[in-house]
Amino acid sequence: MLELKNIAKVAGAETHIHPTNLVLERGSLNVLLGPTLSGKTSLMRLMAGLDKPTSGSVWFDGKDVTGVRVQDRGVAMVYQQFINYPALTVYENIASPMRIKGADSATIDREVRKAADLLKLTPYLDRTPLNLSGGQQQRTALARAIVKNASLVLLDEPLANLDYKLREELRLELPKIFAASGAIFVYATTEPSEALLLGGNTATLSEGRITQFGRTIDVYRRPNDLLTARTFADPPLNTMQVLKNGGHFEIGGKPVLPVPAHLAALPDGPCTIAFHPHHLALASQHPASANLQARTAISEIAGSESFIHIEFEGSRWVMLSPGIHDIEPDAVITVHVDTRHLMAFGTDGRAIAEPAAAAA
Amino acid sequence: MNKTWNNKAWFMVLPVLLLVAFSAVIPLMTVVNYSVQDTFGNNQFFWNGVGWFSDVLESDRFWQALGRNLLFSGIILSIEIPLGILIALNMPKKGLGVPVCLVLMALPLLIPWNVVGTIWQVFGRVDIGLLGRTLHSLGINYNYVNNVFDAWMTLIIMDVWHWTSLVVLLCYAGLVSIPEAYYQAAKIDGASRWAVFRYIQLPKMKRVLLIAFLLRFMDSFMIYTEPFVVTGGGPGNSTTFLSIDLVKMAIGQFDLGPAAAMSIIYFLIILLLSWIFYTVMTSSDEQA
Amino acid sequence: MARINLDHIRHAYGEKPKSEADYALKEVHHEWNDGGAYALLGPSGCGKTTLLNIISGLLQPSEGRILFDGKDVTYLSTQQRNIAQVFQFPVIYDTMTVYDNLAFPLRNRGVAEPEVDRRVREILEMIDLSSWAKKTARGLTADQKQKISLGRGLVRNDVNAILFDEPLTVIDPHMKWVLRSQLKKLHRQFGFTMVYVTHDQTEALTFADKVVVMYDGQIVQIGTPAELFEKPSHTFVGYFIGSPGMNVLPASIDGSSIKIGEETLTLDYRPQVAAGAKTELGIRPEFISLSREGMPVSISKVEDIGRQKIVRAEFAGKPIAIVVSEDGEIPAEPRVTFDPAAINIYADSWRVGREG
């Protein structure tokens, strides 16, 4: 179990990590999700012991390891860049952490072959990394992290430099590999879809703060605040600022949307309502849908579905609609909002009611 | 970027600190002692305060030598830096030419100072030197032993020959680190050869050029061996640089006090000028 | 703006290629329309960057010609071709201000200063860096730098084509949405001929009118995003486009009946299959419906990815993926049906049409 107790990192005038508490269980997969410079790497470096926290402490299995050197901690790290020993074969690359520990050659051979098998590297064991594709190089780095038998494995955007399809394949395999090892995995990414595909737990980060931590799908469905909801949305979250007045949300005195049942208890007053692009559609998906007149900006077609960028009362939204729709810009169209999935946030950004469908 | 902290690192540099203490700090302190003392032999020393310093600073001899130093450094820097950049720009970036050029460039750097001096001393001699005879047979009246201009030319050409390679190698290292995409983008943007140099190559070479400039300045300002071997400070005092004057004073005349004072002043001048150059060059780096 | 003709182009990096395998780019022969937006899509090493460099003039093809508006430009330099290109990693002149960076391509071509100012301000507005105009480019973040690179590509309005080499690699997901729709808007506004290289299907499909899918040095299909999705002409296209990719199942074909393992399907046409060919059936996960009726499957895993669920299952002894909507239910005794209109038949990996 890894515990960060009130840990913070300040470098000069800049605060990299605001005081943070986090508990990661053994055998868990934890995603750090946030844009570039949100503090993912800084947090990982603190977990690894590569950086000394300005305040607070790091505990591992009930012991304070704050001052312990990274070499003595049982940490493995995989980076965005493919880092391998260029002169060694794939076999020796994977074996290297065990050679350093002084394991006997029979154990090494067994472990290397097991890891190579798991990561589909068996045919390439005799090659050197530079003769491999990017995907195979990163698999080698992953295999090395696995044979190290570390209790904490940190992966810093490990798939970012890979082709889209290779990413998809590895993403599918990684959770299985993680499950087999029993270590604590921490995985940093900028992509919400990657967090969702990996599952496990997610901590959303913004400007050096963890905004929420919990089961990935729960964080996605029930964000505590607007910042988390925005961080965890791709395509971007659609929002608008409204005034709740009885049974309607109003903009400038005009009712724009009915208040759905799950938000009925919301007090009257200003708030921000938000929903994901796939809850906005050209055709009514559900009796609870409400329609709006919006102006189109641009349509993008992505095979089976279309992203239609629209403007409504000064807000810019994206609609993810199934099927192919090439709508001319500047056309006024009717769009349907599935109000069952509306989220509402107070003026302070905190969530004030949860979507009913997700709570079910 | 944050760095890993490790207090053991101090242990590792301890031997170097000790070595520096013995080889630099202790001799320097001895010199400082001499500079404020007078002696009449028999190892008897008297306190002289800043007497030697004011003597040195009031002597024409010192100011003339300093002037020669500044002139010499100025001339060789204004030749070696542009010439070094020019050669580096025209060196091949890939293929067999690279190692050949690099070895050719490194050759002069591998020759010791006094040998360089001796080579040029012989090379330029009017009676047996290849250069001297050739110039003579072309009808040019060249003689570095009794013509001031010829002596300076010889020293300058010799220094340029010996040290331009250093500038070339440093600039070349800066140039090869520029990604190919920059050149491609510049082509597409329709940049001229000059614009590519001004906006891509020069900015990337800036740091190495700063190092080259400082190294060449300090080295040339402290020049001793070559003029000592070739001209011995002559004709007259025309190539007597501070270093040569210092040695004459200290070892030739055994005036330890004035020599010590002079060497401290010399040291401070180099330190001050290097600091000025460094600040000016790095501050322009930040503003630009 | 120009029409681009790729006339029997082939390229090999080594000297004297002996066999077909020595060519990094196998024969390409196509005409690309003036003002079209094309994406070159494929995995790394498929030859897409080679083709882009041939178009930009950074590389000369081993064989064939390239024409802009009917004019042979094969031996013209990059400058002479008058194109703009944006690279994968930001290329900026870091001693210049943001403004001067954008003005650079125009000033190099002797554009009058009032016109330079007008264009640069327009682009600054578009890439949302107006307030940075007077600052040096050095201190910017990676995506701001890349926006400048993009801006430098867009600032000239007389270019024959604008080429993009994976330009959004260093950009954060949220910013990608913004930049992509801006590019699209510009394309509509000015009608540049654009060629965009990427390995990311979403970028390719959303950007382009026509997507050129490349694999192993060959163009395997050129089509609209809808064509690539609905009728992939090669199993590679089916796999590469779509997430998850198309399910490809070995099938034996007899007239209009298709046999997969123990299951039999009947099409309303007879696929044109030569005897002895390896035959497969392709169906996208989006076109399989999971309910209590149809053919039996066993579910191995359900991935809830928020807006939809990906069901991993075993069908006739083969793994398949099924996409179920966010609110869709997964029955206890699941069965599947394939949308007959969405079934494609492949012989030796190439899609086959109807017989007769």
Side-chain angles (χ1 to χ4, degrees):
Chain A
M1 193 171 70
L2 178 75
E3 282 174 276
L4 303 183
K5 292 188 180 173
N6 226 7
I7 204 163
K9 178 76 188 172
V10 181
E14 272 178 80
T15 304
H16 291 202
I17 297 291
H18 292 276
T20 296
N21 289 293
L22 190 66
V23 178
L24 305 178
E25 300 291 340
R26 247 182 200 288
S28 65
L29 164 60
N30 307 280
V31 179
L32 302 179
L33 173 68
T36 318
L37 300 178
S38 60
K40 302 186 297 293
T41 304
S42 305
L43 200 58
M44 282 194 161
R45 293 178 63 87
L46 290 174
M47 289 177 181
L50 286 165
D51 285 335
K52 192 178 185 170
T54 313
S55 63
S57 53
V58 183
W59 292 65
F60 202 88
D61 282 344
K63 273 193 303 228
D64 187 346
V65 294
T66 317
V68 178
R69 295 187 317 155
V70 62
Q71 292 94 318
D72 303 334
R73 279 209 201 179
V75 179
M77 205 154 176
V78 177
Y79 303 84
Q80 186 178 340
Q81 292 81 14
F82 314 137
I83 298 175
N84 292 303
Y85 300 104
L88 299 182
T89 60
V90 170
Y91 184 98
E92 284 305 318
N93 261 287
I94 302 175
S96 59
M98 286 189 293
R99 294 234 190 272
I100 291 166
K101 275 193 212 158
D104 63 273
S105 55
T107 316
I108 291 178
D109 194 63
R110 197 181 61 237
E111 291 297 315
V112 169
R113 291 194 185 277
K114 204 170 93 188
D117 192 45
L118 197 62
L119 284 153
K120 298 182 184 161
L121 285 169
T122 311
Y124 313 107
L125 284 174
D126 297 329
R127 297 210 199 160
T128 55
L130 294 180
N131 295 316
L132 297 177
S133 72
Q136 290 158 346
Q137 289 185 41
Q138 194 64 320
R139 281 168 193 272
T140 307
L142 284 165
R144 204 171 56 230
I146 285 163
V147 298
K148 199 173 175 188
N149 202 14
S151 40
L152 177 63
V153 181
L154 303 166
L155 305 131
D156 195 357
E157 300 191 43
L159 307 184
N161 284 0
L162 293 178
D163 273 3
Y164 188 85
K165 273 286 156 178
L166 279 173
R167 232 183 266 184
E168 214 172 270
E169 266 170 40
L170 265 171
R171 204 146 49 196
L172 210 60
E173 291 166 28
L174 283 175
K176 292 179 205 162
I177 297 164
F178 298 159
S181 89
I184 299 174
F185 282 85
V186 181
Y187 187 109
T189 180
T190 58
E191 289 178 40
S193 59
E194 188 156 46
L196 285 164
L197 283 163
L198 288 167
N201 303 317
T202 291
T204 43
L205 272 94
S206 177
E207 293 174 353
R209 275 179 229 273
I210 291 183
T211 59
Q212 191 169 344
F213 177 65
R215 264 186 59 210
T216 301
I217 198 73
D218 293 344
V219 177
Y220 175 77
R221 292 242 162 84
R222 284 188 289 278
N224 286 337
D225 53 36
L226 191 54
L227 206 53
T228 306
R230 277 191 205 283
T231 309
F232 211 147
D234 183 48
L237 192 72
N238 297 321
T239 61
M240 69 174 151
Q241 292 186 347
V242 295
L243 196 74
K244 186 190 177 252
N245 186 2
H248 282 93
F249 292 116
E250 293 179 347
I251 292 180
K254 280 185 299 181
V256 289
L257 279 180
V259 176
H262 71 279
L263 295 175
L266 206 65
D268 280 6
C271 65
T272 301
I273 55 176
F275 51 95
H276 286 286
H278 63 279
H279 293 135
L280 191 61
L282 280 170
S284 173
Q285 298 158 302
H286 190 267
S289 293
N291 52 9
L292 298 169
Q293 303 289 310
R295 184 173 291 276
T296 56
I298 203 107
S299 336
E300 299 179 298
I301 298 161
S304 64
E305 50 201 13
S306 310
F307 300 110
I308 301 155
H309 297 248
I310 56 173
E311 248 169 70
F312 178 77
E313 296 288 338
S315 304
R316 186 74 183 258
W317 292 344
V318 181
M319 166 160 62
L320 203 179
S321 205
I324 290 153
H325 307 282
D326 198 359
I327 303 169
E328 282 304 304
D330 273 331
V332 175
I333 56 168
T334 305
V335 296
H336 302 265
V337 181
D338 188 343
T339 54
R340 290 173 301 162
H341 297 280
L342 275 191
M343 296 179 261
F345 302 93
T347 42
D348 59 351
R350 306 293 303 168
I352 36 183
E354 292 170 348
Chain B
M1 196 67 218
N2 297 306
K3 293 199 175 64
T4 310
W5 86 95
N6 194 338
N7 292 331
K8 277 188 189 162
W10 289 108
F11 275 115
M12 305 295 192
V13 294
L14 197 64
V16 178
L17 289 179
L18 287 172
L19 207 69
V20 170
F22 275 106
S23 66
V25 179
I26 293 172
L28 190 70
M29 286 320 294
T30 320
V31 171
V32 172
N33 281 337
Y34 281 140
S35 73
V36 291
Q37 293 163 347
D38 196 359
T39 179
F40 301 110
N42 292 342
N43 248 355
Q44 283 186 304
F45 290 91
F46 305 92
W47 173 250
N48 190 30
V50 295
W52 295 129
F53 287 92
S54 48
D55 279 1
V56 168
L57 291 175
E58 279 162 18
S59 76
D60 287 345
R61 181 175 159 179
F62 170 77
W63 290 105
Q64 280 162 3
L66 179 63
R68 283 181 212 115
N69 266 61
L70 288 172
L71 182 66
F72 183 74
S73 291
I75 291 172
I76 67 108
L77 279 173
S78 58
I79 296 173
E80 287 175 15
I81 298 284
L83 185 64
I85 294 173
L86 194 72
I87 296 173
L89 286 175
N90 289 299
M91 275 190 30
K93 299 283 180 298
K94 54 186 169 206
L96 196 68
V98 176
V100 173
C101 283
L102 287 178
V103 169
L104 275 177
M105 282 296 137
L107 271 179
L109 297 175
L110 299 173
I111 302 169
W113 287 258
N114 57 337
V115 177
V116 171
T118 313
I119 291 173
W120 282 81
Q121 198 254 341
V122 176
F123 192 43
R125 269 172 67 171
V126 197
D127 50 350
I128 55 165
L130 181 61
L131 178 71
R133 293 241 38 136
T134 313
L135 286 175
H136 216 77
S137 61
L138 289 173
I140 298 163
N141 189 12
Y142 166 84
N143 190 335
Y144 64 79
V145 180
N146 44 33
N147 183 313
V148 175
F149 181 78
D150 290 353
W152 271 75
M153 281 303 287
T154 310
L155 289 180
I156 287 164
I157 292 171
M158 181 175 65
D159 198 87
V160 168
W161 173 81
H162 194 181
W163 290 111
T164 303
S165 301
L166 180 77
V167 182
V168 173
L169 293 177
L170 284 167
C171 289
Y172 185 72
L175 282 175
V176 292
S177 72
I178 302 173
E180 193 55 33
Y182 276 77
Y183 293 112
Q184 297 179 350
K187 269 191 200 168
I188 289 163
D189 288 337
S192 60
R193 183 70 195 83
W194 166 250
V196 170
F197 173 69
R198 170 71 186 76
Y199 297 111
I200 298 174
Q201 294 172 321
L202 196 58
K204 292 281 170 187
M205 282 194 293
K206 206 160 178 177
R207 281 168 197 286
V208 285
L209 269 180
L210 171 67
I211 294 168
F213 187 90
L214 282 179
L215 281 178
R216 284 314 303 133
F217 165 72
M218 288 191 288
D219 251 11
S220 64
F221 202 76
M222 294 191 293
I223 190 164
Y224 173 76
T225 317
E226 294 94 328
F228 177 76
V229 174
V230 179
T231 63
N237 270 336
S238 65
T239 57
T240 302
F241 298 109
L242 282 173
S243 56
I244 291 182
D245 202 22
L246 186 63
V247 172
K248 270 187 194 163
M249 200 186 283
I251 296 167
Q253 299 157 240
F254 224 70
D255 286 336
L256 284 187
M262 188 168 152
S263 73
I264 286 173
I265 294 168
Y266 192 16
F267 171 72
L268 290 177
I269 290 171
I270 294 172
L271 206 64
L272 180 75
L273 287 177
S274 299
W275 180 75
I276 291 172
F277 287 143
Y278 184 80
T279 343
V280 168
M281 290 168 97
T282 49
S283 72
S284 74
D285 192 55
E286 275 154 23
Q287 286 161 9
Chain C
M1 307 321 112
R3 183 180 79 243
I4 300 173
N5 279 85
L6 304 166
D7 184 7
H8 296 98
I9 283 178
R10 293 215 286 177
H11 189 74
Y13 283 98
E15 298 281 306
K16 297 197 187 102
K18 287 180 200 75
S19 70
E20 192 68 8
D22 291 340
Y23 285 92
L25 190 66
K26 303 193 172 78
E27 184 156 311
V28 173
H29 184 74
H30 281 287
E31 175 171 307
W32 292 353
N33 297 332
D34 184 7
Y38 292 87
L40 303 182
L41 175 68
S44 55
C46 71
K48 57 189 192 296
T49 303
T50 306
L51 184 54
L52 189 78
N53 287 342
I54 287 173
I55 298 171
S56 68
L58 295 170
L59 201 66
Q60 230 124 63
S62 311
E63 291 163 34
R65 297 185 309 156
I66 171 158
L67 297 95
F68 285 0
D69 277 339
K71 184 174 162 255
D72 189 339
V73 296
T74 317
Y75 298 102
L76 292 189
S77 70
T78 304
Q79 286 110 308
Q80 290 164 318
R81 291 188 191 192
N82 198 19
I83 46 120
Q85 184 163 356
V86 180
F87 297 88
Q88 185 173 8
F89 295 100
V91 173
I92 53 152
Y93 305 106
D94 53 11
T95 54
M96 292 188 203
T97 62
V98 171
Y99 184 99
D100 290 339
N101 257 281
L102 294 174
F104 191 62
L106 297 176
R107 288 180 179 152
N108 284 334
R109 287 178 173 76
V111 175
E113 207 53 30
E115 173 67 7
V116 170
D117 191 63
R118 197 183 61 74
R119 301 277 312 158
V120 170
R121 289 193 186 283
E122 196 179 332
I123 298 291
L124 277 171
E125 196 63 40
M126 195 181 74
I127 58 176
D128 203 19
L129 285 176
S130 295
S131 55
W132 293 79
K134 295 290 162 216
K135 302 220 169 77
T136 40
R138 188 195 313 259
L140 303 181
T141 61
D143 53 90
Q144 286 172 322
K145 285 181 179 173
Q146 189 64 337
K147 285 208 263 182
I148 296 175
S149 305
L150 278 169
R152 268 209 327 275
L154 299 168
V155 75
R156 290 157 54 200
N157 52 7
D158 64 334
V159 291
N160 280 322
I162 307 181
L163 312 179
F164 301 88
D165 189 0
E166 311 213 6
L168 302 183
T169 308
V170 295
I171 309 284
D172 267 348
H174 283 163
M175 187 49 73
K176 275 185 189 168
W177 285 90
V178 178
L179 286 180
R180 238 171 43 203
S181 66
Q182 279 174 347
L183 273 183
K184 187 105 181 166
K185 201 168 124 208
L186 272 166
H187 181 244
R188 277 183 174 272
Q189 224 174 332
F190 300 111
F192 295 117
T193 306
M194 292 184 169
V195 182
Y196 189 113
V197 162
T198 180
H199 63 82
D200 185 315
Q201 50 158 328
T202 312
E203 276 177 40
L205 295 173
T206 53
F207 170 82
D209 312 329
K210 285 279 178 72
V211 179
V212 180
V213 185
M214 296 188 69
Y215 174 56
D216 195 22
Q218 288 184 71
I219 293 181
V220 284
Q221 188 170 4
I222 298 187
T224 62
E227 284 166 1
L228 297 181
F229 192 78
E230 287 160 7
K231 297 190 165 39
S233 61
H234 190 276
T235 49
F236 175 79
V237 180
Y239 151 81
F240 203 76
I241 297 204
S243 181
M246 187 168 70
N247 297 301
V248 178
L249 303 163
S252 56
I253 294 166
D254 181 14
S256 63
S257 88
I258 318 286
K259 205 159 178 259
I260 307 165
E262 296 301 304
E263 305 294 332
T264 307
L265 296 162
T266 312
L267 297 177
D268 62 355
Y269 68 95
R270 297 159 67 91
Q272 208 171 11
V273 183
K278 183 186 72 167
T279 51
E280 289 160 307
L281 172 144
I283 178 100
R284 292 215 172 263
E286 290 84 352
F287 299 126
I288 302 179
S289 57
L290 195 63
S291 64
R292 292 186 178 80
E293 277 148 51
M295 302 169 286
V297 283
S298 61
I299 293 174
S300 46
K301 193 182 169 199
V302 178
E303 296 165 18
D304 188 343
I305 59 161
R307 70 186 183 89
Q308 56 194 23
K309 293 173 192 143
I310 298 172
V311 177
R312 308 276 171 186
E314 198 162 281
F315 171 76
K318 298 283 169 194
I320 61 165
I322 307 161
V323 168
V324 178
S325 73
E326 183 179 23
D327 308 317
E329 61 161 339
I330 292 158
E333 273 180 43
R335 287 172 169 268
V336 288
T337 45
F338 296 174
D339 177 355
I343 291 175
N344 291 295
I345 301 295
Y346 296 87
D348 291 331
S349 302
W350 291 93
R351 184 172 177 273
V352 295
R354 290 152 188 263
E355 195 167 70

